[in-house]
Amino acid sequence: MKFLAKIVVTGFGLALGGALFKKAAPYLGLDDKKQPADADEAIRRGDGATDPGLQNARN
């Protein structure tokens, strides 16, 4: 009976941890979603506006 209780508690803990991770991942930058290509260009332009000497790292 103790073994069954451990299995239930472990399953609940894993499910709760997974749900919390899904909520927190976008805020922590851990999600796997791809940004659109034009988002990289907008970020580069925004960085260049604050640092005129900034060069594109890809070139």
Side-chain angles (χ1 to χ4, degrees):
M1 193 65 180
K2 284 184 181 181
F3 185 68
L4 181 62
K6 286 181 183 181
I7 291 173
V8 170
V9 170
T10 301
F12 179 73
L14 289 173
L16 182 62
L20 289 173
F21 178 77
K22 285 183 182 180
K23 289 285 187 180
Y27 298 109
L28 300 175
L30 300 173
D31 55 345
D32 293 335
K33 294 180 182 174
K34 296 285 184 180
Q35 291 182 348
D38 58 339
D40 290 336
E41 182 65 22
I43 291 171
R44 187 185 66 78
R45 284 189 199 158
D47 288 343
T50 58
D51 184 6
L54 185 68
Q55 299 294 319
N56 190 355
R58 293 184 213 152
N59 292 336

